[in-house]
């Protein structure tokens, strides 16, 4: 099961200071040009419009997702939020290396509900392509037995 958010909850993605905000790319609060939340496998986008808005906190070098309505783990959002994808060159990559980033889930009254820390790896070069074809999600039934 993925992450759920109640109306007013926020996710704050605190970027390392080495990641400089690209001022030429505007933070658009109502489109997924800067960030998208994904759900399930295969990945699909949690619809941004009407569900959450984006903002940027310059003092903490953080991009913030604020839920406008409850974002559950059922219905169209099943099985809940699984990943955060930064997009659109919102930040400029630093030199190759490993950097720490933090995501905080806070309630509408600013109570920290959960906090995660992980590493970002900036590579010298783009990785090789990896293909993983599957028919697992196609729901094909065997018609020979009918």
């Amino acid at each position: 099961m993925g992450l759920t958010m109640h109306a007013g909850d926020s996710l704050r993605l605190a970027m390392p200071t080495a990641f400089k905000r690209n001022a030429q790319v505007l933070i658009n609060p109502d489109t997924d040009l800067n960030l998208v939340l994904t759900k399930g496998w295969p990945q699909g986008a949690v619809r941004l419009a009407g569900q959450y808005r984006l903002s940027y906190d310059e003092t903490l070098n953080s991009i913030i997702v604020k839920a406008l309505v409850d974002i559950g783990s059922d219905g169209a959002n099943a099985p809940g939020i699984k990943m955060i994808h930064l997009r659109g060159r919102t930040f400029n990559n630093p030199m190759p290396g490993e950097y720490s980033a933090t995501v905080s889930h806070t309630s509408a009254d600013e109570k920290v509900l959960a906090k995660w820390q992980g590493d970002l790896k900036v590579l010298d070069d783009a990785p090789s392509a990896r293909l993983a074809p599957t028919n697992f999600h196609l729901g094909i039934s065997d018609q020979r037995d009918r």
Side-chain angles (χ1 to χ4, degrees):
M1 177 109 28
L3 179 73
T4 62
M5 295 176 70
H6 295 290
D9 283 4
S10 295
L11 292 175
R12 176 183 293 270
L13 172 57
M15 296 296 291
T17 56
F19 284 78
K20 303 298 181 198
R21 177 73 184 88
N22 181 357
Q24 294 178 354
V25 177
L26 298 178
I27 298 285
N28 191 328
D30 296 312
T31 68
D32 63 0
L33 298 174
N34 307 104
L35 177 145
V36 65
L37 301 177
T38 64
K39 60 184 177 171
W41 308 110
Q43 290 180 3
V46 173
R47 183 177 47 85
L48 186 147
Q51 292 198 97
Y52 63 92
R53 297 196 79 185
L54 302 178
S55 62
Y56 176 69
D57 180 342
E58 187 174 345
T59 58
L60 297 174
N61 201 34
S62 299
I63 193 160
I64 301 153
V65 174
K66 184 170 186 166
L68 301 174
V69 297
D70 289 351
I71 301 174
S73 60
D74 56 352
N77 290 324
I81 300 165
K82 295 285 191 175
M83 297 179 117
I84 300 172
H85 285 282
L86 273 177
R87 306 170 83 180
R89 302 186 186 273
T90 302
F91 293 89
N92 292 318
N93 285 348
M95 297 299 294
E98 289 192 26
Y99 302 86
S100 292
T102 304
V103 176
S104 300
H105 180 194
T106 58
S107 62
D109 63 358
E110 299 297 317
K111 178 182 173 190
V112 176
L113 302 172
K115 191 172 194 173
W116 304 274
Q117 184 162 349
D119 292 324
L120 303 169
K121 185 179 274 188
V122 176
L123 303 175
D124 286 322
D125 218 349
S128 300
R130 293 175 293 213
L131 300 176
T134 180
N135 64 358
F136 178 78
H137 300 286
L138 295 178
I140 298 172
S141 63
D142 187 353
Q143 298 294 322
R144 292 176 292 180
D145 295 333
R146 295 187 185 185

